[in-house]
Amino acid sequence: VPGQSTDIDNPSSTTHSLEVGWSPSEDNACPITSYTVKWSSDSGGEGQEEGVTNTQHNITGLKPCIKYTITVIAYTEKGAGPESDPETFTTDTDLPGQVTGVENKGITSDSLLVNWTSPESPDNPCHVTKYTVQWVDVYGKLQEASDIEPPYIIENLTDCSNYTITVTAFTEKGNGKTSEPVDMTTGPKDVYIEEVYNSHGSRNASISWKRPEIHCPLSFVVNYTGITQWTNNKTTVLGDPQTVEDSNDPKANITAELTDLLPYTEYNVCVTVGDENTICETFETDKEVPDIPRNVIITDGSVTDTSVTLTWWFPVEENGILENYNISWSRRNDIFDSASVEADVDTYTITGLGEGNYSITVKVNNSMGFSEESEAIYCPVNGAK
């Protein structure tokens, strides 16, 4: 039988093959008829072998980056010699596979936490030496972070903006195929309105504010209540909530128009953005002349030969602080007279009347002037006998 083969070497290799050579034993007495080359990987699995007739063989069908242990057995017609001492050789490094599983593991208003799955696998266990993450910013410029490991935080991003992320793996041989692109969106900033402004008249107001400088769509809701500042009829007014359309311009001024307000009323207007921030503004609408006094009537049983007593109610809309009621009476073509009473008085007796049918009206004033006169009431008087 032959002696032990020696000097197993590896003159060349690829990612999937090892070329090996060896020297036959120097003390072989008989011609060697063949050799068996055996190999097994350090990653486990069943070993393999192949018969050859010369002292060199290219082992194929291997995996990259794997250590293989190789032995050789020589044969003569008499039989097999002893197995050679084992030698270990490693296949070449291959390009990595495609990165998979790119996902968003956490967001803030200006960052994305990106994670992914390594392309290392049993069929290509070559060590990934680094990764590159790429994304396009809101200005259309390609950005890149190199020499990183997962997970990776992309920072200094714009709020509520979409980014398309790709990841590429590298081994010592170079880069593999880039991952499929994945879209990720940053979250919103803390939203707040710094100040609310108003311009108003007696029955309308424009409420404006500077839109928060964020890129997220926003929802603005305007709520308002009012308390009339009138003499008698102090009333709380509830306005209908108003949703204001977002301009989507981070630097825009937003305006809400409030109509059907009441004069001389203190309004508290609140603007809410999202669910987080509310800011309020208080203002007082302008005054107007008051409405006409209501329910001007002659008091039952008050008419005498020379006098008549009236009563009335304050107007529905006082539109300011009432000052005086003015009572006017006239007899056709020849008599006209008037009198004033304080605003807290709601009755007046006209005296010294002569015979005739009198037309009587009442009006009221505030600092803006007099209301229109009430509808005339008519009262016949007999006069002194």
Side-chain angles (χ1 to χ4, degrees), residues 46-311:
E46 187 175 345
Q48 299 182 62
E49 62 182 53
E50 193 168 356
V52 297
T53 57
N54 53 28
T55 58
Q56 192 169 359
H57 180 62
N58 190 33
I59 304 171
T60 60
L62 306 181
K63 297 177 182 179
C65 298
I66 294 289
K67 289 182 180 180
Y68 288 91
T69 298
I70 300 173
T71 59
V72 176
I73 300 174
Y75 290 82
T76 63
E77 290 182 355
K78 185 77 173 180
E83 191 170 7
S84 69
D85 293 332
E87 294 288 346
T88 300
F89 305 106
T90 303
T91 49
D92 291 354
T93 298
D94 200 358
L95 295 174
Q98 184 181 33
V99 173
T100 59
V102 179
E103 61 180 339
N104 179 8
K105 299 295 287 185
I107 65 171
T108 68
S109 62
D110 61 357
S111 70
L112 293 168
L113 178 61
V114 182
N115 199 18
W116 57 88
T117 301
S118 169
E120 294 179 17
S121 68
D123 289 333
N124 185 359
C126 297
H127 175 64
V128 174
T129 57
K130 65 177 182 178
Y131 294 91
T132 294
V133 176
Q134 292 184 320
W135 65 96
V136 177
D137 65 22
V138 294
Y139 305 104
K141 184 178 180 180
L142 181 65
Q143 303 288 347
E144 180 177 290
S146 300
D147 297 330
I148 59 173
E149 294 290 333
Y152 178 70
I153 300 176
I154 306 175
E155 298 180 300
N156 301 317
L157 304 179
T158 300
D159 62 288
C160 293
S161 297
N162 184 72
Y163 294 87
T164 300
I165 314 294
T166 58
V167 183
T168 305
F170 289 77
T171 62
E172 292 178 354
K173 189 170 184 177
N175 64 282
K177 184 179 179 181
T178 298
S179 70
E180 295 296 328
V182 175
D183 289 335
M184 302 181 190
T185 302
T186 49
K189 290 181 181 178
D190 292 334
V191 181
Y192 60 92
I193 300 172
E194 294 182 352
E195 193 169 1
V196 172
Y197 308 91
N198 80 86
S199 62
H200 61 268
S202 58
R203 295 183 180 270
N204 58 73
S206 293
I207 309 300
S208 61
W209 60 93
K210 189 176 184 301
R211 187 189 189 277
E213 291 191 18
I214 71 171
H215 293 76
C216 306
L218 296 176
S219 174
F220 301 97
V221 178
V222 179
N223 289 279
Y224 61 97
T225 60
I227 300 177
T228 58
Q229 304 300 297
W230 305 339
T231 305
N232 300 289
N233 191 17
K234 290 189 180 295
T235 303
T236 298
V237 181
L238 299 178
D240 293 328
Q242 183 179 141
T243 300
V244 182
E245 184 176 350
D246 187 11
S247 68
N248 293 321
D249 179 356
K251 297 185 178 181
N253 286 322
I254 310 295
T255 299
E257 299 293 341
L258 307 184
T259 58
D260 299 324
L261 305 182
L262 292 176
Y264 196 44
T265 298
E266 183 178 275
Y267 282 94
N268 184 51
V269 180
C270 295
V271 180
T272 300
V273 54
D275 298 322
E276 302 178 21
N277 176 256
T278 298
I279 187 169
C280 300
E281 169 79 354
T282 300
F283 64 90
E284 188 176 88
T285 49
D286 296 344
K287 299 174 183 177
E288 286 184 359
V289 297
D291 273 356
I292 300 169
R294 297 175 290 162
N295 296 337
V296 180
I297 60 172
I298 296 172
T299 306
D300 288 343
S302 69
V303 180
T304 69
D305 290 341
T306 59
S307 68
V308 60
T309 300
L310 308 174
T311 60

Side-chain angles (χ1 to χ4, degrees), residues 179 332 353:
S179 70
R332 187 174 181 182
L353 300 176

